[in-house]
Amino acid sequence: MKKLESSLLNMVLVLTSVAVIMGGILAFVNHLTEGPINDQKAKALADGIKNVMCVDNLKVAKTDTVKQNDAKGKEMTYIIYQIQDAQNKDLGAAVESTTGGFGGDLKVLVGFNPEGNILGYTLLEHAETPGLGAKADKWFQKGEKGDIIGKSPAQPLTVSKDGGQVDAITASTITSRAFLLAVNNAYNAYKATPAADAETGATQKVKED
């Protein structure tokens, strides 16, 4: 019996030591990769903003974080990037918006001109079914079946199955509804946010924040 107790103690000590060592290794690796991962995310966001605003020569004049209730009454957080050109002219905004899709969170970045018309969009994150809901990255683009480019969500965009004018992704109505809800919410958040100051000081303030 005494020998058994000694063996159990040794096993506990060994397992604890292994856990501590592995935890330290994982923390070290995470520290090494955190910087590159953040840089990659920042580049992806910058490229996404250019993509949805349909212009390369731009700057983020102001960044706002807005909390609003969506159509279902759930409080959501939206990030609005107020965009200007090199001459400080207001180009509109790129808005991050997240809703629950079929497989998980669906995060989109939507570009609006100053009038609120959709310039472009891109999917930042999604967990939709490959070959079905994942088609949202192309389905609603200009010239595609569910084209929303140039439309204004002043009247909420909905799928034709719900009486709207947007064709849903084939066999992916839930994803289509979630996507359009994200776009509608992005529009509402944008319209609730004051436009960026048309002075260079607005850009400086964002850098300091």
Side-chain angles (χ1 to χ4, degrees):
M1 187 69 180
K2 189 173 182 179
K3 185 177 180 181
L4 179 61
E5 290 177 352
S6 177
S7 297
L8 287 174
L9 178 60
N10 289 338
M11 289 175 61
V12 170
L13 289 174
V14 170
L15 289 174
T16 302
S17 298
V18 170
V20 170
I21 292 171
M22 292 304 297
I25 292 174
L26 289 173
F28 178 69
V29 172
N30 181 66
H31 176 71
L32 288 179
T33 58
E34 184 178 10
I37 289 174
N38 288 337
D39 290 344
Q40 187 176 7
K41 286 183 177 180
K43 183 180 185 305
L45 177 60
D47 291 343
I49 290 175
K50 290 180 180 180
N51 181 36
V52 302
M53 296 303 296
C54 303
V55 63
D56 289 327
N57 190 14
L58 56 77
K59 60 186 178 183
V60 177
K62 184 181 178 184
T63 302
D64 292 297
T65 300
V66 175
K67 292 184 181 295
Q68 281 189 345
N69 291 338
D70 64 11
K72 297 180 180 179
K74 182 179 179 181
E75 184 177 76
M76 304 295 291
T77 299
Y78 307 92
I79 302 177
I80 297 95
Y81 304 96
Q82 301 280 359
I83 307 301
Q84 294 178 347
D85 64 13
Q87 288 72 44
N88 301 323
K89 179 182 177 182
D90 179 25
L91 298 180
V95 184
E96 283 187 32
S97 176
T98 304
T99 57
F102 179 77
D105 282 347
L106 181 71
K107 180 185 287 188
V108 301
L109 182 70
V110 190
F112 298 98
N113 67 14
E115 290 72 39
N117 297 322
I118 299 170
L119 294 171
Y121 77 88
T122 188
L123 297 188
L124 296 178
E125 295 178 14
H126 75 85
E128 303 307 283
T129 307
L132 293 175
K135 290 182 178 180
D137 65 334
K138 301 293 185 184
W139 187 270
F140 303 99
Q141 300 286 4
K142 188 172 182 62
E144 300 297 329
K145 292 182 179 180
D147 186 354
I148 63 169
I149 307 304
K151 297 182 183 296
S152 170
Q155 291 295 323
L157 300 175
T158 56
V159 297
S160 53
K161 190 173 182 179
D162 297 333
Q165 297 180 332
V166 180
D167 289 337
I169 302 169
T170 304
S172 295
T173 303
I174 293 176
T175 297
S176 300
R177 286 171 174 154
F179 172 82
L180 293 178
L181 177 61
V183 172
N184 293 333
N185 290 344
Y187 172 84
N188 292 332
Y190 170 46
K191 283 303 180 180
T193 306
D197 190 344
E199 299 178 0
T200 55
T203 304
Q204 183 63 37
K205 185 173 182 239
V206 171
K207 291 180 180 178
E208 292 173 353
D209 291 343

